[in-house]
Amino acid sequence: QPLANTTKRRAVGEATMPGYKLYQVIGRKAPTPLDPEPSIYRMKLFAPNEVLARSRFWYFMHQYRKMKRTTGEILDVNELREKDPRTVKNYGIWLRYNSRSGTHNMYREYRDLKLTGAVDQMYSEMAGRHRARPRSIQIIRTGTVADEDVKRVATLQYVKKGLKFPLPHRIVRASDKKHRATFLANRPTTFFH
């Protein structure tokens, strides 16, 4: 029996770890003799890959404008990257999602190095707390939040002045391999003032 038949197939667009990226998709309705220069629309979307970013673009365009994939064209797709991925920032995400009982608006805050990292956190948290699937979540707006404008308790605890992280259980290691011993006569002191 071939191995390919026994392996379970994964649904299209389903990933083990999403790793969302931010894409900018630019598209328009296909030019016609009646409308030779149609309006161009730009949309920023979070998707695991470029193919799904294009798909989401047509999903939203069909809702807001009289356009769909067969009557339109995509002009460009770019991945937008974080300008400064080395400093931790507070991100606010405004979203709406469909639950089992209805549609809800929501605002959430996260601390991360990148906006895409904050979006990853959001999808994981929405799955855990609200059982919301990625397909039922629509991100309305994202933005960085200044320390004084932070609202949520989970993020407020990290923006205090003079924040310190204690290291209660530190084990002193030998500086060199020749000083290392497998068995010692005394217990290690792990508490330091």
Side-chain angles (χ1 to χ4, degrees), residues 17-21 46 87-93 95 106-132 134 137 139 142 152 154-155 157-158:
M17 277 296 286
Y20 283 85
K21 296 172 189 165
F46 292 94
T87 54
V88 178
K89 294 168 280 294
N90 307 314
Y91 290 104
I93 300 174
L95 62 107
M106 200 176 270
Y107 167 72
R108 306 197 79 82
E109 281 176 355
Y110 301 97
R111 279 175 65 79
D112 209 291
L113 296 168
K114 298 179 186 176
L115 176 59
T116 51
V119 168
D120 277 344
Q121 282 186 58
M122 184 271 297
Y123 276 114
S124 295
E125 191 178 25
M126 290 297 289
R129 288 185 194 271
H130 303 282
R131 301 294 182 266
I137 299 169
I139 297 170
T142 59
R152 300 291 181 257
T155 27
Q157 64 183 347
Y158 290 107

Short mmCIF file of all heavy atoms in Angstrom, two decimals, residues 17-21 46 87-93 95 106-132 134 137 139 142 152 154-155 157-158:
data_model
loop_
_atom_site.label_atom_id
_atom_site.label_comp_id
_atom_site.label_asym_id
_atom_site.label_seq_id
_atom_site.Cartn_x
_atom_site.Cartn_y
_atom_site.Cartn_z
N MET A 17 1.47 26.25 11.86
CA MET A 17 1.64 27.51 12.57
C MET A 17 1.46 28.60 11.53
O MET A 17 2.24 28.67 10.58
CB MET A 17 3.05 27.60 13.18
CG MET A 17 3.18 26.90 14.50
SD MET A 17 2.15 27.61 15.79
CE MET A 17 3.02 29.09 16.17
N PRO A 18 0.45 29.46 11.67
CA PRO A 18 0.11 30.36 10.58
C PRO A 18 1.25 31.27 10.15
O PRO A 18 1.60 31.28 8.98
CB PRO A 18 -1.06 31.17 11.12
CG PRO A 18 -1.44 30.60 12.41
CD PRO A 18 -0.41 29.62 12.81
N GLY A 19 1.87 32.01 11.08
CA GLY A 19 2.94 32.92 10.68
C GLY A 19 2.41 33.93 9.68
O GLY A 19 2.82 33.94 8.52
N TYR A 20 1.46 34.76 10.10
CA TYR A 20 0.82 35.72 9.20
C TYR A 20 1.79 36.79 8.75
O TYR A 20 2.66 37.21 9.51
CB TYR A 20 -0.39 36.36 9.89
CG TYR A 20 -1.58 35.44 9.92
CD1 TYR A 20 -1.72 34.49 10.93
CD2 TYR A 20 -2.54 35.48 8.93
CE1 TYR A 20 -2.80 33.63 10.95
CE2 TYR A 20 -3.62 34.62 8.94
CZ TYR A 20 -3.74 33.69 9.96
OH TYR A 20 -4.81 32.84 9.96
N LYS A 21 1.63 37.22 7.52
CA LYS A 21 2.42 38.31 6.94
C LYS A 21 1.47 39.41 6.53
O LYS A 21 0.29 39.16 6.29
CB LYS A 21 3.20 37.81 5.72
CG LYS A 21 4.22 36.75 6.05
CD LYS A 21 4.80 36.17 4.79
CE LYS A 21 5.66 34.96 5.11
NZ LYS A 21 5.95 34.17 3.93
N PHE A 46 -3.73 40.66 6.17
CA PHE A 46 -2.88 39.69 6.85
C PHE A 46 -3.22 38.31 6.32
O PHE A 46 -4.39 37.91 6.34
CB PHE A 46 -3.11 39.74 8.36
CG PHE A 46 -2.64 41.02 8.98
CD1 PHE A 46 -3.51 42.07 9.18
CD2 PHE A 46 -1.31 41.18 9.34
CE1 PHE A 46 -3.08 43.25 9.73
CE2 PHE A 46 -0.86 42.36 9.90
CZ PHE A 46 -1.75 43.40 10.09
N THR A 87 12.63 46.91 18.50
CA THR A 87 12.07 47.50 19.72
C THR A 87 10.66 46.97 19.96
O THR A 87 9.88 46.82 19.01
CB THR A 87 12.02 49.04 19.63
OG1 THR A 87 11.32 49.41 18.44
CG2 THR A 87 13.40 49.65 19.61
N VAL A 88 10.35 46.74 21.22
CA VAL A 88 9.03 46.23 21.59
C VAL A 88 8.04 47.38 21.55
O VAL A 88 8.31 48.47 22.05
CB VAL A 88 9.06 45.60 23.00
CG1 VAL A 88 7.69 45.11 23.41
CG2 VAL A 88 10.05 44.45 23.04
N LYS A 89 6.88 47.14 20.93
CA LYS A 89 5.84 48.17 20.80
C LYS A 89 4.51 47.61 21.28
O LYS A 89 4.31 46.41 21.31
CB LYS A 89 5.72 48.62 19.34
CG LYS A 89 6.97 49.34 18.83
CD LYS A 89 6.96 49.52 17.34
CE LYS A 89 7.38 48.31 16.56
NZ LYS A 89 8.74 47.86 16.69
N ASN A 90 3.61 48.52 21.65
CA ASN A 90 2.24 48.14 22.01
C ASN A 90 1.40 48.26 20.76
O ASN A 90 1.39 49.31 20.12
CB ASN A 90 1.68 49.08 23.08
CG ASN A 90 2.58 49.19 24.28
OD1 ASN A 90 3.07 48.21 24.78
ND2 ASN A 90 2.82 50.41 24.73
N TYR A 91 0.69 47.20 20.41
CA TYR A 91 -0.17 47.23 19.22
C TYR A 91 -1.62 47.11 19.63
O TYR A 91 -1.98 46.31 20.49
CB TYR A 91 0.18 46.07 18.28
CG TYR A 91 1.51 46.23 17.60
CD1 TYR A 91 2.62 45.51 18.01
CD2 TYR A 91 1.66 47.12 16.54
CE1 TYR A 91 3.84 45.65 17.39
CE2 TYR A 91 2.89 47.27 15.91
CZ TYR A 91 3.98 46.54 16.34
OH TYR A 91 5.19 46.70 15.73
N GLY A 92 -2.47 47.92 19.01
CA GLY A 92 -3.91 47.82 19.19
C GLY A 92 -4.52 47.22 17.93
O GLY A 92 -4.16 47.62 16.82
N ILE A 93 -5.42 46.26 18.08
CA ILE A 93 -6.08 45.63 16.94
C ILE A 93 -7.58 45.74 17.12
O ILE A 93 -8.13 45.28 18.11
CB ILE A 93 -5.66 44.14 16.79
CG1 ILE A 93 -4.14 44.03 16.59
CG2 ILE A 93 -6.39 43.47 15.64
CD1 ILE A 93 -3.61 42.61 16.58
N LEU A 95 -11.11 44.59 15.64
CA LEU A 95 -11.55 43.48 14.79
C LEU A 95 -13.03 43.21 15.00
O LEU A 95 -13.64 43.73 15.92
CB LEU A 95 -10.74 42.22 15.12
CG LEU A 95 -10.84 41.67 16.54
CD1 LEU A 95 -11.67 40.40 16.55
CD2 LEU A 95 -9.46 41.40 17.10
N MET A 106 -14.53 44.15 18.56
CA MET A 106 -13.61 43.95 19.66
C MET A 106 -12.36 44.79 19.47
O MET A 106 -11.97 45.09 18.33
CB MET A 106 -13.23 42.46 19.70
CG MET A 106 -12.69 41.98 21.00
SD MET A 106 -12.40 40.23 20.95
CE MET A 106 -13.96 39.60 21.50
N TYR A 107 -11.76 45.18 20.59
CA TYR A 107 -10.46 45.87 20.56
C TYR A 107 -9.52 45.08 21.46
O TYR A 107 -9.85 44.76 22.60
CB TYR A 107 -10.60 47.30 21.08
CG TYR A 107 -9.27 47.96 21.38
CD1 TYR A 107 -8.42 48.35 20.36
CD2 TYR A 107 -8.85 48.16 22.69
CE1 TYR A 107 -7.20 48.94 20.63
CE2 TYR A 107 -7.63 48.76 22.97
CZ TYR A 107 -6.82 49.14 21.94
OH TYR A 107 -5.60 49.73 22.21
N ARG A 108 -8.34 44.76 20.96
CA ARG A 108 -7.37 43.99 21.74
C ARG A 108 -6.00 44.66 21.67
O ARG A 108 -5.69 45.34 20.69
CB ARG A 108 -7.27 42.56 21.21
CG ARG A 108 -8.61 41.85 21.12
CD ARG A 108 -8.45 40.36 20.99
NE ARG A 108 -8.16 39.74 22.27
CZ ARG A 108 -9.10 39.42 23.16
NH1 ARG A 108 -10.36 39.68 22.91
NH2 ARG A 108 -8.78 38.86 24.30
N GLU A 109 -5.20 44.43 22.70
CA GLU A 109 -3.84 45.00 22.77
C GLU A 109 -2.81 43.90 22.98
O GLU A 109 -3.05 42.97 23.73
CB GLU A 109 -3.73 46.00 23.93
CG GLU A 109 -4.31 47.34 23.63
CD GLU A 109 -4.26 48.28 24.82
OE1 GLU A 109 -3.87 47.86 25.94
OE2 GLU A 109 -4.64 49.43 24.63
N TYR A 110 -1.68 44.07 22.31
CA TYR A 110 -0.58 43.11 22.44
C TYR A 110 0.75 43.85 22.41
O TYR A 110 0.85 44.92 21.82
CB TYR A 110 -0.61 42.09 21.28
CG TYR A 110 -1.90 41.31 21.22
CD1 TYR A 110 -2.92 41.70 20.36
CD2 TYR A 110 -2.11 40.21 22.05
CE1 TYR A 110 -4.11 41.00 20.33
CE2 TYR A 110 -3.30 39.51 22.02
CZ TYR A 110 -4.29 39.91 21.15
OH TYR A 110 -5.48 39.23 21.13
N ARG A 111 1.75 43.25 23.05
CA ARG A 111 3.12 43.77 22.98
C ARG A 111 3.94 42.80 22.14
O ARG A 111 3.94 41.60 22.39
CB ARG A 111 3.72 43.90 24.38
CG ARG A 111 3.29 45.15 25.09
CD ARG A 111 3.80 45.18 26.50
NE ARG A 111 5.25 45.24 26.62
CZ ARG A 111 5.97 46.35 26.48
NH1 ARG A 111 5.37 47.49 26.21
NH2 ARG A 111 7.27 46.33 26.62
N ASP A 112 4.61 43.35 21.13
CA ASP A 112 5.41 42.51 20.26
C ASP A 112 6.45 43.36 19.54
O ASP A 112 6.37 44.59 19.55
CB ASP A 112 4.52 41.79 19.24
CG ASP A 112 5.10 40.45 18.82
OD1 ASP A 112 6.14 40.44 18.13
OD2 ASP A 112 4.53 39.41 19.18
N LEU A 113 7.39 42.67 18.89
CA LEU A 113 8.39 43.37 18.08
C LEU A 113 7.81 43.78 16.73
O LEU A 113 8.18 44.81 16.19
CB LEU A 113 9.60 42.46 17.86
CG LEU A 113 10.39 42.08 19.11
CD1 LEU A 113 11.37 40.97 18.79
CD2 LEU A 113 11.12 43.28 19.66
N LYS A 114 6.91 42.95 16.20
CA LYS A 114 6.34 43.21 14.87
C LYS A 114 4.82 43.18 14.94
O LYS A 114 4.24 42.49 15.79
CB LYS A 114 6.78 42.13 13.88
CG LYS A 114 8.26 42.05 13.64
CD LYS A 114 8.53 40.92 12.67
CE LYS A 114 10.00 40.68 12.50
NZ LYS A 114 10.25 39.53 11.64
N LEU A 115 4.20 43.88 14.00
CA LEU A 115 2.74 43.88 13.91
C LEU A 115 2.23 42.49 13.57
O LEU A 115 1.22 42.03 14.10
CB LEU A 115 2.29 44.89 12.85
CG LEU A 115 0.80 44.97 12.54
CD1 LEU A 115 0.01 45.32 13.79
CD2 LEU A 115 0.53 46.00 11.46
N THR A 116 2.97 41.78 12.70
CA THR A 116 2.56 40.42 12.33
C THR A 116 2.62 39.47 13.52
O THR A 116 1.81 38.56 13.64
CB THR A 116 3.43 39.89 11.18
OG1 THR A 116 4.81 40.04 11.53
CG2 THR A 116 3.17 40.62 9.88
N GLY A 117 3.57 39.71 14.44
CA GLY A 117 3.65 38.92 15.66
C GLY A 117 2.45 39.16 16.56
O GLY A 117 1.91 38.24 17.17
N ALA A 118 2.00 40.44 16.63
CA ALA A 118 0.82 40.78 17.42
C ALA A 118 -0.43 40.13 16.81
O ALA A 118 -1.31 39.66 17.54
CB ALA A 118 0.65 42.29 17.48
N VAL A 119 -0.49 40.09 15.48
CA VAL A 119 -1.63 39.46 14.80
C VAL A 119 -1.64 37.95 15.05
O VAL A 119 -2.69 37.36 15.28
CB VAL A 119 -1.61 39.79 13.28
CG1 VAL A 119 -2.60 38.94 12.50
CG2 VAL A 119 -1.91 41.27 13.07
N ASP A 120 -0.46 37.34 15.05
CA ASP A 120 -0.35 35.91 15.39
C ASP A 120 -0.88 35.65 16.80
O ASP A 120 -1.62 34.69 17.03
CB ASP A 120 1.11 35.44 15.31
CG ASP A 120 1.54 35.10 13.90
OD1 ASP A 120 0.65 34.92 13.04
OD2 ASP A 120 2.75 35.01 13.65
N GLN A 121 -0.47 36.52 17.74
CA GLN A 121 -0.96 36.40 19.13
C GLN A 121 -2.48 36.51 19.18
O GLN A 121 -3.14 35.78 19.90
CB GLN A 121 -0.37 37.51 19.99
CG GLN A 121 1.06 37.31 20.42
CD GLN A 121 1.47 38.41 21.39
OE1 GLN A 121 0.86 38.58 22.43
NE2 GLN A 121 2.51 39.14 21.03
N MET A 122 -3.01 37.46 18.39
CA MET A 122 -4.45 37.70 18.39
C MET A 122 -5.21 36.47 17.88
O MET A 122 -6.20 36.05 18.49
CB MET A 122 -4.77 38.92 17.51
CG MET A 122 -6.23 39.32 17.49
SD MET A 122 -7.23 38.51 16.22
CE MET A 122 -6.47 39.08 14.73
N TYR A 123 -4.76 35.88 16.78
CA TYR A 123 -5.42 34.69 16.24
C TYR A 123 -5.37 33.53 17.25
O TYR A 123 -6.36 32.82 17.42
CB TYR A 123 -4.79 34.27 14.91
CG TYR A 123 -5.35 35.02 13.72
CD1 TYR A 123 -4.55 35.89 12.99
CD2 TYR A 123 -6.68 34.87 13.33
CE1 TYR A 123 -5.06 36.59 11.89
CE2 TYR A 123 -7.19 35.56 12.25
CZ TYR A 123 -6.37 36.41 11.54
OH TYR A 123 -6.88 37.11 10.46
N SER A 124 -4.22 33.36 17.92
CA SER A 124 -4.10 32.30 18.92
C SER A 124 -5.03 32.54 20.10
O SER A 124 -5.70 31.63 20.58
CB SER A 124 -2.66 32.21 19.43
OG SER A 124 -1.81 31.83 18.39
N GLU A 125 -5.08 33.80 20.57
CA GLU A 125 -5.91 34.12 21.72
C GLU A 125 -7.40 34.01 21.39
O GLU A 125 -8.19 33.52 22.21
CB GLU A 125 -5.60 35.53 22.23
CG GLU A 125 -6.24 35.81 23.56
CD GLU A 125 -5.91 37.18 24.11
OE1 GLU A 125 -5.60 38.09 23.33
OE2 GLU A 125 -6.01 37.33 25.33
N MET A 126 -7.79 34.44 20.20
CA MET A 126 -9.19 34.35 19.79
C MET A 126 -9.61 32.89 19.65
O MET A 126 -10.75 32.53 19.94
CB MET A 126 -9.42 35.09 18.47
CG MET A 126 -9.32 36.60 18.59
SD MET A 126 -10.55 37.32 19.67
CE MET A 126 -12.03 37.09 18.72
N ALA A 127 -8.69 32.05 19.20
CA ALA A 127 -8.99 30.61 19.11
C ALA A 127 -9.16 30.01 20.49
O ALA A 127 -10.07 29.21 20.73
CB ALA A 127 -7.89 29.90 18.34
N GLY A 128 -8.29 30.41 21.42
CA GLY A 128 -8.34 29.86 22.76
C GLY A 128 -9.50 30.37 23.59
O GLY A 128 -10.22 29.60 24.22
N ARG A 129 -9.71 31.68 23.61
CA ARG A 129 -10.74 32.27 24.48
C ARG A 129 -12.14 32.19 23.88
O ARG A 129 -13.12 32.04 24.60
CB ARG A 129 -10.42 33.74 24.75
CG ARG A 129 -9.25 33.97 25.67
CD ARG A 129 -9.12 35.45 25.96
NE ARG A 129 -7.85 35.75 26.57
CZ ARG A 129 -7.62 35.73 27.89
NH1 ARG A 129 -8.58 35.39 28.72
NH2 ARG A 129 -6.43 36.04 28.36
N HIS A 130 -12.25 32.37 22.56
CA HIS A 130 -13.57 32.49 21.94
C HIS A 130 -13.88 31.41 20.91
O HIS A 130 -14.93 31.46 20.28
CB HIS A 130 -13.70 33.87 21.28
CG HIS A 130 -13.48 35.00 22.22
ND1 HIS A 130 -14.43 35.42 23.12
CD2 HIS A 130 -12.40 35.79 22.43
CE1 HIS A 130 -13.95 36.43 23.83
NE2 HIS A 130 -12.71 36.68 23.44
N ARG A 131 -12.96 30.47 20.73
CA ARG A 131 -13.14 29.41 19.72
C ARG A 131 -13.39 29.99 18.33
O ARG A 131 -14.15 29.43 17.54
CB ARG A 131 -14.27 28.46 20.11
CG ARG A 131 -14.11 27.75 21.44
CD ARG A 131 -12.92 26.80 21.42
NE ARG A 131 -12.79 26.09 22.69
CZ ARG A 131 -12.00 26.48 23.69
NH1 ARG A 131 -11.31 27.61 23.58
NH2 ARG A 131 -11.89 25.77 24.78
N ALA A 132 -12.79 31.13 18.04
CA ALA A 132 -12.99 31.80 16.75
C ALA A 132 -11.96 31.30 15.74
O ALA A 132 -10.76 31.33 16.01
CB ALA A 132 -12.88 33.31 16.91
N PRO A 134 -9.85 31.48 12.14
CA PRO A 134 -9.32 32.62 11.37
C PRO A 134 -10.27 33.11 10.28
O PRO A 134 -10.33 34.31 10.00
CB PRO A 134 -8.03 32.08 10.77
CG PRO A 134 -7.60 31.00 11.71
CD PRO A 134 -8.86 30.40 12.24
N ILE A 137 -12.72 35.81 11.54
CA ILE A 137 -12.16 37.04 12.11
C ILE A 137 -11.81 38.01 10.98
O ILE A 137 -11.13 37.63 10.02
CB ILE A 137 -10.91 36.74 12.96
CG1 ILE A 137 -11.25 35.81 14.12
CG2 ILE A 137 -10.28 38.03 13.46
CD1 ILE A 137 -10.06 35.26 14.85
N ILE A 139 -9.98 41.72 10.52
CA ILE A 139 -9.23 42.81 11.16
C ILE A 139 -9.64 44.11 10.49
O ILE A 139 -9.49 44.28 9.28
CB ILE A 139 -7.71 42.56 11.04
CG1 ILE A 139 -7.33 41.29 11.79
CG2 ILE A 139 -6.94 43.76 11.58
CD1 ILE A 139 -5.93 40.81 11.55
N THR A 142 -5.39 48.34 12.59
CA THR A 142 -4.30 48.07 13.52
C THR A 142 -3.51 49.35 13.72
O THR A 142 -3.55 50.24 12.86
CB THR A 142 -3.34 46.99 12.98
OG1 THR A 142 -2.81 47.43 11.74
CG2 THR A 142 -4.02 45.65 12.83
N ARG A 152 -5.62 47.93 28.32
CA ARG A 152 -5.80 46.60 28.87
C ARG A 152 -4.80 46.29 29.99
O ARG A 152 -3.63 46.66 29.92
CB ARG A 152 -5.66 45.55 27.76
CG ARG A 152 -6.68 45.70 26.63
CD ARG A 152 -8.08 45.37 27.10
NE ARG A 152 -9.06 45.48 26.04
CZ ARG A 152 -9.90 46.50 25.91
NH1 ARG A 152 -9.88 47.50 26.76
NH2 ARG A 152 -10.77 46.53 24.92
N ALA A 154 -3.42 43.50 30.91
CA ALA A 154 -2.32 42.61 30.52
C ALA A 154 -1.15 43.40 29.93
O ALA A 154 0.01 43.02 30.12
CB ALA A 154 -2.82 41.58 29.51
N THR A 155 -1.43 44.50 29.23
CA THR A 155 -0.35 45.33 28.67
C THR A 155 0.08 46.43 29.62
O THR A 155 1.22 46.85 29.60
CB THR A 155 -0.77 45.94 27.31
OG1 THR A 155 -2.17 46.08 27.25
CG2 THR A 155 -0.30 45.13 26.15
N GLN A 157 0.67 46.24 32.76
CA GLN A 157 1.68 45.79 33.72
C GLN A 157 3.10 45.87 33.15
O GLN A 157 4.06 45.86 33.92
CB GLN A 157 1.36 44.38 34.19
CG GLN A 157 1.42 43.33 33.11
CD GLN A 157 1.02 41.96 33.61
OE1 GLN A 157 0.93 41.74 34.81
NE2 GLN A 157 0.78 41.04 32.69
N TYR A 158 3.23 45.99 31.83
CA TYR A 158 4.56 46.06 31.21
C TYR A 158 5.02 47.48 30.91
O TYR A 158 6.15 47.68 30.49
CB TYR A 158 4.59 45.25 29.91
CG TYR A 158 4.51 43.77 30.15
CD1 TYR A 158 3.34 43.07 29.87
CD2 TYR A 158 5.58 43.06 30.67
CE1 TYR A 158 3.25 41.71 30.10
CE2 TYR A 158 5.51 41.71 30.91
CZ TYR A 158 4.34 41.04 30.62
OH TYR A 158 4.26 39.69 30.86
#
